[in-house]
Amino acid sequence: MTDADEPRWLTPGEQRAWVALAGTVIWLPATLDAQLQRDAGISHAEYQVLSWLSMSTDRTRRMSELADTANVTLSHLSRIVARLEQRSWVRRTPDPADGRYTLAILTEDGWRKVVASAPGHVAAVREHVFDQLTPTQVAQLEEIGAQIFRHLRPDCATGHVAPVDAAAEAASPGQSA
């Protein structure tokens, strides 16, 4: 094997950073899921779908767009949405603009569920992420996360959430986390 064929091994600093990131990617979703299951009776995946719908125009999105956002197959998303439909939080209907697509629509009951679940979820995000960081680290986290996201998903505009005005942010509990 020549030097050109050798793997580019991680430096000790890169290895420590990778282990820290991998641990976060594994344990943070499980921690947030446990909080939502305990306090709201829903999974993190279910909350995310409700939250994304709450932030969408007319609280409606194409199922294919939701699946892409969630990085799940349309089949997996369909099972999640079926559970939300059973609770009357979401309904599905053919897209009137193009019948080949199905729309997921957040119901009023679904909106109330997002509003009721958001404070506990945001508190968990704050406790497990932001309370652990300085303001400088939060800015660094945003920059680093956006950079990695842009690399992974160059088709997404900027890799981070666009700023919103404080009034709109306060009026939309699904927007915070």
Side-chain angles (χ1 to χ4, degrees):
M1 184 178 274
T2 68
D3 285 343
D5 296 331
E6 278 291 314
R8 291 180 51 216
W9 297 110
L10 300 179
T11 67
E14 290 169 336
Q15 187 173 14
R16 288 189 304 273
W18 171 245
V19 168
L21 177 59
T24 300
V25 168
I26 292 166
W27 288 102
L28 183 59
T31 299
L32 296 176
D33 189 69
Q35 176 275 318
L36 283 162
Q37 291 280 2
R38 181 188 66 241
D39 297 344
I42 60 174
S43 70
H44 191 234
E46 292 166 338
Y47 176 81
Q48 286 302 135
V49 169
L50 293 173
S51 177
W52 291 324
L53 286 172
S54 78
M55 294 182 280
S56 299
T57 304
D58 297 325
R59 299 180 187 160
T60 302
R61 284 193 62 192
R62 284 182 172 170
M63 291 284 289
S64 55
E65 293 171 356
L66 277 175
D68 186 52
T69 301
N71 193 29
V72 297
T73 65
L74 198 49
S75 170
H76 185 188
L77 177 67
S78 187
R79 289 189 299 275
I80 293 168
V81 171
R83 290 193 304 268
L84 298 173
E85 279 183 307
Q86 289 174 343
R87 297 172 177 160
S88 299
W89 295 336
V90 173
R91 68 180 176 85
R92 286 185 267 196
T93 189
D95 185 340
D98 187 340
R100 296 174 297 173
Y101 294 99
T102 300
L103 299 176
I105 303 166
L106 185 69
T107 65
E108 283 303 313
D109 285 346
W111 171 251
R112 284 189 286 276
K113 183 62 175 178
V114 172
V115 169
S117 303
H121 178 64
V122 171
V125 168
R126 180 165 300 289
E127 174 188 355
H128 298 298
V129 179
F130 296 106
D131 288 352
Q132 308 307 312
L133 304 174
T134 67
T136 299
Q137 290 171 322
V138 170
Q140 291 168 338
L141 178 63
E142 178 186 9
E143 182 181 338
I144 292 164
Q147 179 67 29
I148 293 170
F149 187 76
R150 281 191 299 270
H151 170 74
L152 296 172
R153 290 297 306 267
D155 56 314
C156 292
T158 61
H160 67 278
V161 175
V164 295
D165 67 68
E169 197 168 335
S172 180
Q175 185 144 346
S176 299

